């Protein structure tokens, strides 16, 4: 997200991700077939068998079984696992796209505690394994659109964040939810560079946090989250630019006032609190009208049009009714 990345985004990372393994397409077809069958019978939700076929042959992590939620299967092709796990933004491990994959082996995702605190009746420190058992794990295939102009389609595994919010019983003062990432220099070499005011922090309005799309995420591609993707637990907010989806969370804090967020603090004129994907509001350095799909679109492929709210308008446009989305970017 720094200026120094400008121009390199469309550089030498592209060719190696052009070729999508055949097995991947076969798996994808099976999932879609199962999803279609379930939709036809009205049994949306369960597809454990289909899900089992999603596991990538290259995957190294521990398996995580989850049923595909067929409400969240877009018609887009899923991005190959190798791209999802090698083209990352996780500045705690370096600022180059390949740094997290190379450096995040020093992150220790077990044991891991996550504190749910602030304006709630039921503050609680969860162990990561408790989170895994709170509600049935779901697979959700979401588009991820980065403010830098690229996108991916990722089969996440998680539970609705609303499950945590409901258990916490927010008080009447809770208007926002803040997400705080781990900041441990012994595990995260990138912290020695003061790019951002660590720990990485993000936030949502309460109704955004409660929206059924907002996923507390613990896995992808049938496995526990790889370190570089935010192990062991992150949030994923698919209608917002990727930087809102904070990784390796240690705190979920309910607060009364709009919380400070890392990128907004860094450059308030560039990164707004809302950061809803919006093709009509450009970032000062990157047009938001179009995007390039990692692993699919080559250098000469015409860029694809970015969709308002990343294509999730039906589920979220009502949250912003009457709001000036240019002023509240
Ligand atoms: N969370 C933390 N803690 N640190 C980060 O640098 N980068 C964000 C977001 N979450 C980031 C973070 C950005 S800019 C993006 S685009 C997404 O993570 C990338 O997620 P991915 O690498 O899993 O695709």
């Amino acid at each position: 997200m720094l200026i120094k990345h400008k121009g390199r985004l469309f550089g030498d990372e592209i060719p190696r991700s052009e070729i999508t393994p055949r097995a991947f397409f076969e798996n994808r077809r099976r999932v879609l077939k199962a999803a279609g069958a379930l939709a036809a019978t009205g049994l949306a939700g369960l597809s454990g068998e289909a899900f089992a076929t999603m596991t990538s042959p290259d995957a190294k992590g521990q398996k995580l079984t989850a049923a595909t939620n067929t409400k969240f299967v877009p018609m887009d092709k899923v991005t190959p696992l190798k791209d999802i796990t090698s083209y990352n933004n996780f500045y705690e491990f370096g600022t180059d796209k390949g740094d997290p994959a190379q450096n995040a082996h020093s992150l220790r995702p077990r044991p891991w505690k996550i504190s749910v605190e602030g304006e709630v009746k039921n503050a609680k420190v969860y162990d990561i394994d408790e989170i895994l058992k709170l509600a049935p794990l779901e697979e959700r295939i979401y588009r991820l659109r980065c403010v830098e102009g690229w996108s991916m389609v990722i089969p996440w595994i998680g539970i609705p964040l609303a499950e945590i919010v409901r258990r916490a019983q927010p008080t009447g003062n809770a208007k926002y939810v803040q997400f705080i990432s781990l900041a441990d220099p012994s595990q995260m070499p990138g912290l020695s560079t003061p790019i951002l005011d660590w720990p990485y922090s993000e936030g949502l309005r309460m109704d955004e946090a409660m929206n059924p799309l907002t996923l507390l995420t613990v896995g992808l591609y049938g496995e526990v989250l790889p370190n570089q993707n935010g192990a062991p637990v992150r949030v994923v907010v698919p209608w917002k630019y990727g930087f809102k989806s904070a990784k390796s969370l240690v705190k979920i804090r309910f607060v009364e006032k709009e919380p400070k967020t890392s990128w907004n603090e860094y450059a308030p004129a560039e990164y707004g609190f809302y950061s809803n994907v919006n093709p009509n509001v450009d970032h000062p350095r990157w047009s938001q009208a179009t995007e390039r799909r990692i692993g699919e679109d080559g250098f000469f492929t015409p860029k694809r049009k970015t969709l308002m709210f990343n294509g999730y308008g039906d589920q979220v446009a009502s949250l912003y009714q009457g709001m000036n989305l240019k002023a509240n970017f």
Side-chain angles (χ1 to χ4, degrees):
M1 306 230 331
L2 292 172
I3 298 167
K4 74 182 190 115
H5 284 291
K6 209 182 158 197
R8 199 196 299 162
L9 275 173
F10 304 97
D12 57 357
E13 293 94 340
I14 302 163
R16 71 181 153 69
S17 56
E18 302 285 58
I19 306 154
T20 304
R22 211 179 78 205
F24 163 76
F25 281 112
E26 286 166 1
N27 287 343
R28 175 78 181 137
R29 265 203 298 275
R30 280 201 285 271
V31 169
L32 287 176
K33 214 170 113 196
L38 285 165
T41 54
L43 293 173
L46 172 82
S47 69
E49 195 192 333
F51 174 76
T53 67
M54 278 292 290
T55 306
S56 155
D58 329 306
K60 293 184 185 68
Q62 199 188 318
K63 299 262 178 291
L64 204 56
T65 328
T68 306
N69 187 329
T70 55
K71 273 194 247 161
F72 303 100
V73 180
M75 284 302 113
D76 311 36
K77 286 177 198 151
V78 176
T79 302
L81 179 66
K82 70 174 169 44
D83 294 306
I84 294 173
T85 55
S86 63
Y87 191 90
N88 300 99
N89 276 333
F90 199 170
Y91 277 16
E92 289 88 331
F93 295 99
T95 55
D96 281 351
K97 294 286 178 281
D99 286 347
Q102 205 168 0
N103 302 330
H105 55 84
S106 53
L107 179 70
R108 293 187 298 273
R110 290 276 188 301
W112 192 277
K113 305 267 185 223
I114 173 165
S115 168
V116 178
E117 58 186 46
E119 289 289 349
V120 290
K121 294 193 192 98
N122 281 339
K124 180 171 160 69
V125 178
Y126 288 92
D127 187 271
I128 182 62
D129 294 316
E130 282 178 87
I131 300 270
L132 292 176
K133 289 183 206 125
L134 270 190
L137 292 177
E138 292 176 26
E139 179 188 73
R140 305 263 189 105
I141 302 177
Y142 282 164
R143 297 182 198 98
L144 176 102
R145 170 61 159 82
C146 181
V147 73
E148 294 163 329
W150 51 266
S151 61
M152 298 196 196
V153 181
I154 304 182
W156 301 110
I157 297 171
I159 60 170
L161 180 71
E163 293 283 349
I164 293 274
V165 178
R166 203 166 43 78
R167 283 174 175 80
Q169 293 191 36
T171 70
N173 292 334
K175 303 283 191 291
Y176 296 89
V177 186
Q178 185 178 20
F179 303 94
I180 299 172
S181 300
L182 179 74
D184 177 358
S186 77
Q187 300 182 58
M188 300 171 137
L191 295 182
S192 58
T193 317
I195 313 159
L196 295 173
D197 191 9
W198 312 111
Y200 193 96
S201 161
E202 259 309 330
L204 294 175
R205 223 169 51 186
M206 191 63 116
D207 57 350
E208 297 176 323
M210 291 295 289
N211 188 278
L213 282 173
T214 307
L215 197 68
L216 192 68
T217 302
V218 293
L220 61 80
Y221 257 105
E223 309 200 333
V224 296
L225 269 182
N227 287 359
Q228 59 268 39
N229 294 91
V233 58
R234 70 180 292 180
V235 67
V236 174
V237 194
W239 71 98
K240 294 179 180 278
Y241 293 116
F243 68 87
K244 297 294 290 181
S245 296
K247 296 177 167 183
S248 301
L249 298 178
V250 290
K251 283 188 183 137
I252 297 177
R253 186 182 287 155
F254 292 77
V255 292
E256 190 167 4
K257 302 219 166 69
E258 189 179 289
K260 288 186 174 176
T261 59
S262 294
W263 283 104
N264 181 253
E265 289 262 289
Y266 172 80
E270 297 188 19
Y271 308 103
F273 177 79
Y274 284 94
S275 287
N276 293 317
V277 174
N278 187 340
N280 309 314
V281 179
D282 283 339
H283 180 276
R285 277 176 286 119
W286 299 294
S287 162
Q288 301 301 346
T290 57
E291 66 199 59
R292 187 176 63 88
R293 187 65 51 82
I294 299 290
E296 226 181 297
D297 298 347
F299 190 70
F300 297 109
T301 312
K303 295 234 225 133
R304 60 184 76 207
K305 284 201 162 109
T306 289
L307 303 172
M308 186 65 201
F309 297 115
N310 207 17
Y312 297 98
D314 286 353
Q315 291 99 319
V316 300
S318 61
L319 298 176
Y320 310 103
Q321 228 158 25
M323 248 173 90
N324 179 339
L325 297 178
K326 280 206 158 89
N328 297 284
F329 60 96

